[in-house]
Each structure stands twice: as structure tokens, then as C-alpha cells.
Amino acid sequence: MNTASSTYRIHKCSKCPGDTGYHCVSCPCDLCPQCKENHVKDLNTIDHDVVSHRDKINYIPTEEICVGHPSKVYVNYCEPCKLPVCFHCRKHRNHRQVDVNRAYKTKREQHRGTIHTIRSEALFYRPVLLTGIEADFKTCRTEFSLYQSEMLTKAKTLKNLINRVTKNFMYNVFCDFNFKHRCLKQKIEMSRHINSLQRYIHRYEQPEFTFSPLQFLSSIKKALTEIHLMLHTSQLSMTESLKKEDVMESLSAIQIKERGTRRVENQCLLKLMSSAEFHQSLTVTGVDCSYHISCVTSDRVWVSDRNNLILTNTKGVCLHCVEGDLFSDSGLHTLTNESELIYIDCNDDINKLAKDINTTKTFIEKTDSTWEPRCVHWSPSTGDLLVGMSRKEPKEKEDKEDRDNTADTEIITTWTGKVTRYDQSGQLTQTIQYDNTGRKLYRDPLYITENNNGDVVVSDYKAVVVTERGGRHLFSYTGHPSGSRLWPLGICTDPLSHILLCDDWTNAVQMLDQDGQFLSHLLIRPSGIFYPRSLSYDVNTHRLWVGSLYNNTVVIYRYITRQLALTATADVTESLNEIPTTGTEKPQQVNECLLKMMSPPELLHSLTVTGVDGCLHISCVTSDRVWVNDGRKKLILTDTTGVPLHRVEGSRSYICKGSHTVNSENELIYIDRKYNINKLSKDMKTTTTFIERTDSAWEPRCMHWSPSTGDLLVVMCREDFKEEEDYENTKDTDVTEDIENTADTANTEDTDDTANTEDTDDIENIEETEEIEDVEDTEDTEDVEGIEDTEDTDDTDDSDDTEDIEDIEDVEDIEDTEDTDVTEDIDEIEDIEDTEDVEEIEDAEDIKDTADTDDTEDIEDTEDTDDTEFITTSTGKVTRYDQSGRLTQTIQYDNTGRELYTEPNYITENNNGDVVVSDCYYTRSGAILVTERGGRHRFSYTGHPSGSGLEPRGICTDPLSHILVCDAKTDKVHILDKDGQFLSHLLINPLGKFGPCSLSYDVNTHHLWVGSRYNSSTVLIYRYITRQDTLTDEHTPRPDGDALITLYTRIHGGLSRALEV
């Protein structure tokens, strides 16, 4: 073979033209030394497995020669002596030996973490330390030169002082010979001292100053302590002219500071990113949800739900499961510095599971039966264990009717909490329970953590309570803006001392600084989990693990990066993002030249629709005809007088809110009771099945006919029922206390009409809270919005929840003790709601009957048997069908593969082709999700200001590409631009007690139809867009512009008349 002409393949770096020396197993890719260094420092690849290239090809190392036997090589490894040996090493023959290659691999695996730390951490911040050292070196040289010159000056002063003392001494000694017999002995001592002083002078007069400051001070201190000259004469007093303190004070400018380890603050190494960056999503096997997460390594975490505690990896595979039921929904586990698991068992004992997962022992045994441990956190800095505890405290409540007579007492239950600190041996060292004024700090600590400065952070009932390490109360965070509601759940801190918390009220992750100041909403209703419940920060990879309240999905984010991180990748990404995507170009805004917004909106007409009990959805047919459905299987065609013109039988409108739409031929398309999609002809005589249901797991919920493409957009939903053990719910007690507070307010403020109105509103809020709990207990699939009266619902409910019954009795007590005016107001409200509740109970029974006969998987039996309850989780997707009914597209996941929808209720399409979906699970905060026509997720709107919470209902768009949203939380109609930016509140609680629920925009007359959920059959018609009176210079028309406007007006007028005919 001719080697001179042969072609050799040279391995090159995958990132640059350099020669390869390393290989990343995780990517995989080849790396040169410089790219390898950048690869292990980058937080995106910090946990990748990078090996040398010879390890990749299983390189056989060169055999090493034995030191004791040069003719032999090492073949074994002596484990007791920890030395390599050959066959002739006799003294190791009786020791345990293993193969040297095997020992090498074992040792390499043992030190893998250390090697990884050196590569990714030490090599990163060592250059930062070096920069500081170089700066200090220059500073020290300058400051030491000043000290040196000052020392020389003070040395001269000291020399002159010594010379003067010597001169005075000689004069005083020989001036009087009468004391010769007394001074003879001291003369010898003085001579010795003089010689000693002369030696010091001689040292100071050396040409090269080699005496260090520390040695000099030490020697001077020792020498001066020996000088105590007190001659037996009244003329001598050596201490007055030379004192040790004076000499030391003259040299006190030279200070020797205590040495310490040089450290680099995280603020110098890390910084916040502009937004949280998605890293990974995983589905954890073995749990139903993620109540708490504890990070072990970058690829292993402990995850717990109510009954299970498992160890899983980044693939979601269960590696270990802790035996025994836990019965906890809080932060019941944590990890020590040695990666040992500490958790609370079902007996309220705190156990410790060894790192090898084989040994479990009781770390802290429960001794006080009244206190229940709720959450734990291991302090990495002190090695202490922080435990949040709570207990029930009975409290006597005086009966207000017999306040003046013999006091009848009633026992109620309240909760109180405390934080205890235990050392590494399990000994109690601290208790934090009260603030500086003696008031209780906690009610029910659910989660606990510690900040970098030692502050103890507790997620308590409706507040985040922060105290110093010593226990002094610093602040309590109750939401943003101040005074808004907060329901904190999982919490954690990061290396920058930020406090992160999950807010169950807004479904967001909020970020605070260490002083409790709100910074931002880090995550708002994140895709895939939607309802964040638990948090855990991995300080090694700087990744945030977020768990969900209603599913077993865990999402990993990164929002902190390194200060010195390479920007080449980010620059490339930004340059790629600037490249326009095909099909996303902005359409010509012709309507902006012809139309403009009015301020304020004009109310044109109000009508009462006969034959329906609500207006959950409206579809415009012509300028004076619309289809309206309520929540009780009623779908009718009506006109502007409210008279029903046609009724559709067998619709699915009580579950599917946006259950109908109208195509370009004015044909009605709706969802029937079997979840088939039917088409009703324009003459309303022929009904055909347009899309037949084929997948029993997915139910169509809402739909919209696209005027631009002729496609039908259908939102599908799938529900999963999970059976769980019944457990004691602390929220019932909270509701009871809220009712008591309401009763107290009613008795103190019932003298004026305003107080009566406030009391009525408070009771309505209490009733709404109880209704939500009752719906969750019975898993009733009927619409929660229509439920108003708790007492009637409880009468038809077979639940044995005694706490709910106590709540109802408390409400009745409030009604009995309030003034007559308040009672009459409540009675009026109940009279209005009683009929609705009876009908809804009948509807619920109809739902059960329908489910048993037509679709048994739709609705489960709601009777509570064997103390079990059903928790429903749901997911959604958007499907697109062409005019022949053929499926052409499915939108279900975002760009990272996470689910977009949970409980979609309404759907529409904007002028640019964006698909707009109103997604809200019962009365929880939801979002408006907008995707491009191709399916790419654009944005999610969660309320104004961002993260404040939104309960979206009906939606529509207008000719100016605005997005209109009904918010059930505030009874307002939000108006957004096409990019999701909030513009204004178009309507704010119109006509008083009017809750906007449905919207429909008539493009022919530019009228907005608004349906109500309170005034059951009221529909309002507004106009907020009008035509441009004069065209501005920005939209100056071409010479034929006037003719174009005239033609546009005539076409719309002709179409309107044609449609009316």
C-alpha cells in the first residue's frame, strides 16, 4: 500500500475547525479543547457527559512498571493499601486486590462529580477570582509603599527618643556620687539594657531593611516590657520619658487583618434572563400530581403527591418508591447535604432515608400529639432542619343573641402554626411562633425554605411570612399589587436570593427580592402544567423544576444565566429570529383606513330573549337574527325583539358553551347530545351529520366557521377521572372563619344601607366559595357558573361532609342575626336563585341519565361511597376540518411539545388567520391562547396587569383585528390588539348586575352582541366602531379612493339587504 498517496480522515471539532480532543456523549459531538471548556461551562450543556477522545474509542492505557520490581508491570490494585501492585509484591498477597483497570474505572466514577465540579464550576469562577487577585496585588503594592515610608519616619522618631533617654540616663546617674552604693547594682542592669537598645538601633540602621513588620512589633513589645527603670533617686523617672504605650501607638497605623477565604458573590457570576427559558418536560410515572419536589442531582428528583413519594429521573421513570401512605399535600420532604432523604410519614414522625435507599431510621419522633408537622427543609449552610408545624385550637364563640343574658358558648376551630429548628442530632434548638408584638405569625405552614442570608421563608395561609434566622419577623407578602388576593403554595429561593412562589389564585409563579418586593411574574399559567404547585431550584445546573397541581407533568425552566456566558449562540438565534417566516407577513390593514374606534361604546338596544335561561353563546345570522343557547340544552333562533323563531332539539349546549356557529351560507352548525356535529340548512328543515364522532375519548366543546378559508375549527376536550382517598380539607375551616367574620361585620354595620349591601355581597361570595367546594366533591359536570344557592344544592347532595353542613348552619345563623333589611335582600336573592337551582338539579339528573344510556364514560356517579372522591383532569386540542368534513390539522402542543389547552370553551379566528381560544377550568384562572394558522403558539393573555388572573368566557374579533374577551372574574370585557397587548376595558359591569358571558360581532352593521350570565335572558347590543369621517394624511387615498369607499359601502349594503331577504 502506498501510504504517501493514501487519504487519512482527521477528526475535526464539530463547533470550529480545530482538532478534536474530546467527545460529548450527550450531544453527541466532537470538541476541541477550547470548545470543550465552553461546552462544560454553558448552563445549557453543563450536565453533559464530556470525555476525552481516547476514552471514547476505549483507549488501552500504557502499562506502568512496578517501582519495586522494574521488570514487572502493575496488574492489580490493593484496596487496603490503596496502591497498585504486581504479582511479585509479596506483602500485598493477603490483601484484597482487584484488577487495576477495574479499579481505575471505579475511582474515576467515584470522582466523577468532583471532576464535573472542577470543569463546570471551578474553571468558571477561578478566572473571576484571578481578576480580583490581580487588582488586589496592585492595590497592595501601592498601600505597602505608603506603610513602608511611614514606618521609616516612625523609626527615626523612635531612634531620637532612645538617644534622648540614654543621654538623660547618663547625666542623672553620674551627677550625684552619694548614691554610688545604691546604684552600683543597677549600673550593671542599665548597661545590659543599653546594649540591648543599641542592638535595636544597629538593626534599624542597616542599609537593607529585612525586618518584617510583624517581627519588629513582636520584638519591640518583648523588649519594652523589660524596661522598668526606677532608680533610688528623686531625680530619675524613666517611665515618664519612655513608655511602651507611646511607642506602640506611634506604630499603630500598621494593622494586620485576619485572613479569610476569597469568595466571589453570585451577583458577579450570575444574572437574570429576560424571560424563563423552557428546558425540558417530563411525565412522572407513579404519581398523579406534583405537590412537592426535592432535587437530588441534575437528573434525579424526589416527587410526591398526596399518597406517594418516588425518586425519578429526567425520563420520568420511577427509580424508587417510599413505602407507606403519606396523606400530605405540602412540602413533606427535603434532602440533606449528603443527599439523604428526610420526609414526614403517616404517623407524623420525621424519617431519614440513607443515600443508598436501603436504610430508613426515625430522625425525629413525634412527642406532642397536638402539633402536626406539615413541611420540612434542610439548611445547607447550618445543617439544621426547619420544620413547619400546625395544630387545631378550639375557641369559644359567644352567641350574639344571648349576649346580654347568660352567655351561651359555641366551640369553633382555628388553626395556628409555628416553625421549629433541629440540629443534626435531632435536638430542638429554636421555635418561631410569634412576632415582635406577641401576635401569632403562622396559621398553617404548607411549605418552608431558607434564603441565602439565613431568612426563614414560609408559605402560609394567604401570605408568605419571612423571619430572620433569629426569629425576628421581617415582612409578610400578601400579593401584588398590595391588597390583592394570594394563595401561596410551593416556594423556593435561588442563588441571587430571590423568593419564588406558586400562587394558586392566579396560576402564576411570582418572583420577589429578599426584602419582599415584587419583581415579576416568572411564569403565568405555563403550558403543560397550567396550575403550578411545587418548585425546586437546582443550584448546580441553575434549573427550576415546576410541578403541576392537576397532572403528573413536571417542566424544567432556566431563567438565570452566567455573567460571562458566551453570546455567540444567542447572537445566532437572534439573527435567525429576525428572518421572516413564510405565511406570517402582516396583512394589509384596509379596515384601518375605513374604520375607527368610538369612545365610549354606544348602547343601541337591549332585549330579553324568551325561551332561554342564559346566553352562553351567540352566533349572528343577519343584522336582526341570532342563535342563542343557554346552559339547559336550549338552542333557539331569535330576533331583536327576543321572540323565539326556531328551536333546535337535542343540542349539547349545557356542557359545550360555544357549541354552535354559522357558515357563509347562513347554515347553523352545532354539537348534538351524542357529540356529533350537525348542519341545519338555511331553511331550517333539513339536518345532516357533518362530522360524526369516532373517538369516544375526545368530546367536541366549541367551534367556529372560518369566513376566510371555509374551514371549521373544532375544539376537542378529553377528561380523565382519578379516584383518591378522602382527606381532611383545611379550606372548610377557612370558609367557616370567613363566615364568622362576615357575621361580625353584619352585626356592627347593619345600621346603614351600605353595610347591608356589603353584607349581602359577602354572603354571596361565601355561597360561591361553598359551591365550588361542593362541585369538586361531587364531580358534577354541570356548569359551575349557574350555581348560586348552596343550600338547595346541599339538599340534593348525598355527601356526608359534616364541615360543609356546619358552614350552611353558620350562614343560616348569620341570616337570623342580621337586620330585617339584610334578610329581605338575601331572601330576594334566594328567590331568584331557587328556580335556577331546581332546574340545574334536574339538568344534573338528566346528565346522569344521558350518560348511562348514550355515553357511560361522560359522567361518573357522584355519590360518595367508601370515602372516595374523584378529581377530574382535562386536556384539549384544536382540530381543523375542510368543507367536506375531512380533518386537515391538529393543534395541541406548543413549540416545545407541551400541552396548550386544559378546558377550552370558546374559539374564534382573527383577520390574520390566528386561532384564538378561551381556555378556563371551572372558576380557576384561565387564559386566552393564540396560535398562528399553522399552529405555532404566539402568546397567552392572562389578564391585566399581567398575572392578575382571568376567567375568560366568550370571545370574538372585530374588523380592526381586536380580540374581545369576557372576564367572569371582574365582569368586564377586555379589548386586546392582535399581538395580545391590553388596550382597555370596553365594558365594565354594564347595567349594574350584568355579567358579560358571550360575544358576537356583526361585521355588516358593526354591532356587538353581548350575552349575560346573571340577567339570564338579557342581550345588549353595542357599537364601538364607526366609519372614518375624514381620511388622515397617513392614509391618504389614491385618486380613486373615494370611489373605493363608495363601492365598499354599496357592497356591504347590498349584502345586508340580500341576507335579510
Side-chain angles (χ1 to χ4, degrees):
M1 178 179 179
N2 188 4
T3 58
S5 61
S6 300
T7 302
Y8 292 92
R9 182 176 178 268
I10 301 176
H11 287 278
K12 293 292 183 181
C13 177
S14 303
K15 309 292 184 181
C16 69
D19 296 335
T20 183
Y22 298 89
H23 178 76
C24 179
V25 181
S26 304
C27 287
C29 64
D30 295 328
L31 303 169
C32 66
Q34 182 61 41
C35 292
K36 183 271 298 183
E37 184 176 350
N38 298 333
H39 200 72
V40 297
K41 291 179 182 178
D42 190 355
L43 291 180
N44 289 322
T45 56
I46 190 174
D47 55 345
H48 284 196
D49 186 12
V50 179
V51 298
S52 63
H53 206 271
R54 63 181 183 180
D55 291 337
K56 173 194 172 185
I57 60 176
N58 294 325
Y59 175 77
I60 300 176
T62 305
E63 295 180 338
E64 298 183 39
I65 299 176
C66 179
V67 177
H69 307 89
S71 60
K72 305 298 179 181
V73 296
Y74 292 125
V75 291
N76 290 334
Y77 180 80
C78 179
E79 291 187 344
C81 301
K82 298 181 179 180
L83 293 172
V85 296
C86 67
F87 287 124
H88 292 269
C89 294
R90 298 179 179 272
K91 64 179 182 180
H92 300 282
R93 287 185 175 180
N94 296 328
H95 296 175
R96 174 180 171 82
Q97 299 180 9
V98 295
D99 183 72
V100 67
N101 292 329
R102 178 183 174 185
Y104 165 75
K105 294 180 180 179
T106 303
K107 291 294 183 181
R108 182 180 177 88
E109 188 66 25
Q110 290 177 354
H111 297 285
R112 182 179 180 182
T114 305
I115 296 173
H116 179 270
T117 302
I118 294 174
R119 283 180 172 180
S120 59
E121 299 294 337
L123 292 179
F124 169 70
Y125 66 78
R126 284 293 187 261
V128 182
L129 285 174
L130 180 61
T131 304
I133 293 174
E134 292 176 349
D136 290 346
F137 179 75
K138 296 178 181 179
T139 303
C140 290
R141 176 176 294 181
T142 304
E143 293 185 359
F144 279 152
S145 62
L146 299 177
Y147 285 139
Q148 186 177 7
S149 61
E150 188 175 356
M151 288 172 62
L152 292 175
T153 303
K154 292 184 178 297
K156 292 180 181 180
T157 304
L158 181 61
K159 181 177 177 295
N160 295 332
L161 178 62
I162 295 174
N163 288 336
R164 187 170 64 252
V165 171
T166 304
K167 183 178 179 180
N168 293 335
F169 171 75
M170 297 299 295
Y171 174 78
N172 290 327
V173 168
F174 296 103
C175 66
D176 192 353
F177 293 98
N178 294 328
F179 297 98
K180 183 182 299 185
H181 61 285
R182 296 183 180 180
C183 296
L184 182 62
K185 184 176 180 180
Q186 292 189 7
K187 179 180 178 180
I188 300 173
E189 295 180 3
M190 289 299 299
S191 299
R192 184 171 64 252
H193 289 309
I194 291 172
N195 293 333
S196 177
L197 294 175
Q198 287 178 348
R199 285 198 301 271
Y200 284 106
I201 296 173
H202 177 71
R203 291 183 182 180
Y204 252 91
E205 291 177 346
Q206 293 299 321
E208 296 182 357
F209 181 68
T210 59
F211 215 42
S212 68
L214 181 61
Q215 293 175 341
F216 170 72
L217 291 176
S218 301
S219 61
I220 288 296
K221 181 178 180 181
K222 181 178 180 181
L224 293 180
T225 56
E226 298 175 359
I227 302 176
H228 294 287
L229 300 179
M230 292 296 295
L231 298 180
H232 296 275
T233 176
S234 61
Q235 300 177 3
L236 292 178
S237 180
M238 299 299 294
T239 57
E240 296 180 359
S241 59
L242 182 63
K243 293 183 179 180
K244 175 184 66 175
E245 291 78 8
D246 296 337
V247 177
M248 295 300 296
E249 185 178 358
S250 65
L251 299 177
S252 61
I254 306 173
Q255 298 180 358
I256 302 175
K257 296 182 178 180
E258 183 180 357
R259 293 183 178 182
T261 304
R262 185 182 296 271
R263 298 181 183 275
V264 181
E265 298 294 333
N266 286 324
Q267 286 74 8
C268 302
L269 301 175
L270 305 172
K271 64 179 180 180
L272 284 173
M273 301 167 60
S274 58
S275 61
E277 176 183 301
F278 171 78
H279 178 73
Q280 184 187 355
S281 176
L282 60 140
T283 301
V284 183
T285 305
V287 294
D288 297 328
C289 55
S290 301
Y291 280 156
H292 190 47
I293 302 175
S294 296
C295 286
V296 184
T297 61
S298 60
D299 58 351
R300 290 191 177 188
V301 293
W302 287 95
V303 180
S304 64
D305 60 8
R306 187 173 299 166
N307 299 315
N308 305 299
L309 173 58
I310 68 166
L311 176 66
T312 184
N313 56 15
T314 52
K315 296 181 180 179
V317 178
C318 179
L319 306 177
H320 183 78
C321 182
V322 175
E323 297 181 356
D325 294 332
L326 303 176
F327 302 108
S328 177
D329 57 351
S330 55
L332 63 91
H333 51 87
T334 184
L335 289 170
T336 67
N337 298 338
E338 289 76 24
S339 298
E340 297 174 311
L341 176 69
I342 294 181
Y343 67 97
I344 305 172
D345 63 12
C346 59
N347 298 321
D348 292 336
D349 294 330
I350 299 178
N351 298 335
K352 180 185 290 186
L353 178 64
K355 185 177 180 180
D356 58 6
I357 325 179
N358 292 327
T359 306
T360 302
K361 62 179 181 180
T362 301
F363 182 60
I364 300 174
E365 187 176 359
K366 182 179 181 180
T367 57
D368 190 347
S369 60
T370 61
W371 287 98
E372 174 186 351
R374 298 282 284 159
C375 51
V376 290
H377 174 77
W378 183 272
S379 172
S381 58
T382 63
D384 296 338
L385 179 66
L386 298 171
V387 182
M389 296 188 172
S390 65
R391 72 176 178 183
K392 292 182 179 180
E393 290 187 347
K395 180 181 178 182
E396 292 184 356
K397 176 184 176 183
E398 184 180 354
D399 192 354
K400 298 177 178 55
E401 292 182 354
D402 300 328
R403 180 177 299 176
D404 298 333
N405 300 325
T406 304
D408 294 336
T409 58
E410 177 186 356
I411 304 299
I412 61 175
T413 301
T414 61
W415 285 88
T416 185
K418 66 178 181 179
V419 171
T420 55
R421 183 187 295 268
Y422 298 86
D423 59 17
Q424 299 186 27
S425 61
Q427 296 296 320
L428 178 65
T429 60
Q430 185 187 23
T431 300
I432 304 174
Q433 189 173 0
Y434 305 99
D435 64 3
N436 311 329
T437 61
R439 292 179 298 179
K440 296 178 180 179
L441 283 172
Y442 313 104
R443 288 188 59 180
D444 187 16
L446 292 178
Y447 295 87
I448 187 172
T449 187
E450 186 183 52
N451 215 336
N452 300 326
N453 58 357
D455 290 349
V456 179
V457 186
V458 175
S459 175
D460 196 38
Y461 175 76
K462 295 184 179 181
V464 174
V465 182
V466 179
T467 60
E468 289 181 348
R469 179 176 295 174
R472 187 175 68 89
H473 179 232
L474 293 178
F475 62 88
S476 294
Y477 175 76
T478 57
H480 176 77
S482 180
S484 59
R485 299 188 65 175
L486 180 74
W487 199 284
L489 295 175
I491 56 174
C492 73
T493 59
D494 61 25
L496 296 179
S497 298
H498 296 140
I499 300 173
L500 279 69
L501 64 104
C502 294
D503 180 18
D504 193 40
W505 182 251
T506 59
N507 300 328
V509 176
Q510 301 185 21
M511 179 189 294
L512 320 176
D513 64 11
Q514 64 179 5
D515 299 322
Q517 297 299 316
F518 174 82
L519 298 180
S520 66
H521 286 97
L522 184 65
L523 300 170
I524 301 176
R525 196 177 178 273
S527 299
I529 55 180
F530 305 108
Y531 309 105
R533 171 68 187 239
S534 54
L535 300 173
S536 183
Y537 192 92
D538 183 7
V539 295
N540 297 318
T541 60
H542 296 290
R543 292 169 186 165
L544 177 67
W545 296 65
V546 185
S548 174
L549 177 62
Y550 285 120
N551 58 41
N552 57 349
T553 301
V554 175
V555 181
I556 306 173
Y557 292 90
R558 184 166 64 88
Y559 65 95
I560 287 181
T561 186
R562 285 175 165 171
Q563 290 276 15
L564 305 180
L566 299 179
T567 58
T569 305
D571 295 338
V572 172
T573 305
E574 291 178 1
S575 62
L576 292 176
N577 291 335
E578 294 176 357
I579 301 176
T581 306
T582 304
T584 61
E585 294 82 1
K586 297 181 179 180
Q588 296 180 353
Q589 302 295 332
V590 179
N591 287 325
E592 292 182 358
C593 305
L594 305 175
L595 304 173
K596 66 177 181 180
M597 291 189 64
M598 300 169 54
S599 181
E602 178 184 357
L603 177 61
L604 301 178
H605 184 56
S606 174
L607 63 141
T608 300
V609 182
T610 306
V612 294
D613 299 318
C615 299
L616 296 185
H617 189 48
I618 302 175
S619 295
C620 286
V621 183
T622 62
S623 60
D624 60 349
R625 290 191 178 186
V626 293
W627 288 96
V628 179
N629 75 278
D630 60 5
R632 293 173 172 81
K633 302 179 289 185
K634 300 174 184 178
L635 174 58
I636 67 169
L637 177 67
T638 185
D639 57 13
T640 53
T641 63
V643 177
L645 305 177
H646 186 79
R647 180 187 299 271
V648 174
E649 301 293 340
S651 67
R652 199 71 169 179
S653 60
Y654 56 90
I655 291 180
C656 310
K657 298 178 178 60
S659 60
H660 53 87
T661 184
V662 176
N663 63 13
S664 56
E665 305 298 331
N666 288 346
E667 297 175 313
L668 175 69
I669 300 177
Y670 67 96
I671 304 173
D672 66 10
R673 62 185 302 174
K674 296 182 179 180
Y675 294 106
N676 295 323
I677 299 177
N678 298 338
K679 181 185 292 185
L680 178 64
S681 62
K682 184 178 180 180
D683 58 6
M684 294 177 289
K685 295 181 178 180
T686 306
T687 301
T688 58
T689 300
F690 181 58
I691 301 173
E692 186 175 0
R693 182 186 186 187
T694 56
D695 190 349
S696 60
W698 290 93
E699 303 172 356
R701 289 296 179 88
C702 54
M703 53 190 177
H704 173 77
W705 182 274
S706 171
S708 58
T709 62
D711 296 337
L712 180 66
L713 297 171
V714 181
V715 170
M716 301 283 190
C717 190
R718 181 184 64 196
E719 292 187 348
D720 299 322
F721 295 91
K722 296 179 181 180
E723 183 175 330
E724 292 194 357
E725 292 289 338
D726 190 13
Y727 75 110
E728 187 175 6
N729 193 347
T730 59
K731 292 184 179 180
D732 294 337
T733 306
D734 300 332
V735 174
T736 305
E737 296 176 1
D738 291 341
I739 296 174
E740 295 163 4
N741 296 333
T742 305
D744 295 336
T745 306
N747 284 275
T748 57
E749 298 182 358
D750 56 3
T751 57
D752 52 64
D753 296 334
T754 305
N756 293 338
T757 305
E758 293 175 354
D759 293 339
T760 306
D761 294 338
D762 291 339
I763 294 175
E764 291 175 357
N765 294 333
I766 295 169
E767 293 175 354
E768 291 176 358
T769 305
E770 295 173 346
E771 290 156 10
I772 297 171
E773 295 174 357
D774 293 337
V775 172
E776 292 177 352
D777 292 336
T778 58
E779 286 300 315
D780 195 352
T781 57
E782 67 183 77
D783 188 13
V784 180
E785 299 172 13
I787 301 177
E788 296 288 334
D789 189 21
T790 308
E791 297 175 5
D792 293 340
T793 306
D794 289 338
D795 292 338
T796 58
D797 196 352
D798 293 332
S799 174
D800 294 332
D801 193 352
T802 57
E803 294 183 358
D804 290 338
I805 297 175
E806 294 175 358
D807 293 341
I808 299 171
E809 294 175 354
D810 291 339
V811 174
E812 294 175 352
D813 293 336
I814 294 172
E815 295 175 355
D816 294 335
T817 57
E818 289 176 339
D819 289 343
T820 306
D821 295 336
V822 179
T823 308
E824 291 176 356
D825 293 338
I826 299 173
D827 292 337
E828 291 176 1
I829 297 172
E830 292 177 349
D831 291 339
I832 296 174
E833 296 169 351
D834 284 340
T835 30
E836 297 179 0
D837 294 330
V838 173
E839 292 178 359
E840 291 194 9
I841 295 167
E842 295 174 355
D843 291 336
E845 295 175 354
D846 294 339
I847 294 173
K848 295 178 183 179
D849 296 337
T850 305
D852 294 336
T853 56
D854 297 333
D855 198 354
T856 57
E857 66 192 15
D858 292 342
I859 302 170
E860 303 262 345
D861 186 12
T862 59
E863 293 186 358
D864 188 8
T865 58
D866 298 331
D867 293 333
T868 58
E869 62 176 2
F870 293 95
I871 294 181
T872 305
T873 60
S874 60
T875 183
K877 64 180 179 180
V878 174
T879 54
R880 184 186 294 269
Y881 297 87
D882 58 17
Q883 299 186 27
S884 62
R886 183 173 58 90
L887 178 64
T888 60
Q889 184 188 22
T890 299
I891 304 174
Q892 187 174 359
Y893 305 100
D894 65 1
N895 314 329
T896 59
R898 292 171 294 169
E899 293 180 345
L900 281 171
Y901 313 104
T902 56
E903 189 79 12
N905 294 314
Y906 296 90
I907 185 172
T908 188
E909 186 183 52
N910 214 336
N911 299 327
N912 60 354
D914 287 348
V915 179
V916 186
V917 175
S918 172
D919 192 355
C920 184
Y921 184 76
Y922 289 104
T923 58
R924 300 185 63 87
S925 294
I928 298 297
L929 295 104
V930 178
T931 59
E932 292 179 351
R933 180 175 295 174
R936 187 177 70 89
H937 179 230
R938 290 194 58 214
F939 64 86
S940 296
Y941 175 74
T942 56
H944 178 76
S946 179
S948 59
L950 181 75
E951 291 183 18
R953 295 297 185 263
I955 54 175
C956 73
T957 59
D958 61 24
L960 295 179
S961 298
H962 296 142
I963 302 173
L964 280 70
V965 185
C966 291
D967 181 15
K969 180 174 289 187
T970 59
D971 289 338
K972 298 177 182 178
V973 176
H974 298 214
I975 182 167
L976 323 175
D977 65 10
K978 62 183 177 182
D979 298 319
Q981 298 299 316
F982 174 82
L983 299 180
S984 66
H985 288 110
L986 184 65
L987 300 174
I988 301 177
N989 196 11
L991 299 183
K993 194 68 172 180
F994 184 96
C997 182
S998 55
L999 299 173
S1000 183
Y1001 192 91
D1002 183 5
V1003 295
N1004 298 317
T1005 60
H1006 297 292
H1007 291 172
L1008 177 66
W1009 296 65
V1010 184
S1012 171
R1013 63 188 178 99
Y1014 286 146
N1015 296 8
S1016 57
S1017 58
T1018 302
V1019 175
L1020 304 180
I1021 304 177
Y1022 286 89
R1023 183 175 65 190
Y1024 67 96
I1025 289 181
T1026 185
R1027 290 182 177 142
Q1028 294 274 12
D1029 295 332
T1030 58
L1031 298 179
T1032 61
D1033 294 337
E1034 181 182 359
H1035 301 124
T1036 302
R1038 295 184 294 272
D1040 58 344
D1042 294 334
L1044 179 62
I1045 295 176
T1046 303
L1047 179 61
Y1048 177 85
T1049 305
R1050 289 179 178 178
I1051 291 175
H1052 273 278
L1055 288 175
S1056 299
R1057 289 190 296 273
L1059 291 175
E1060 291 177 1
V1061 173

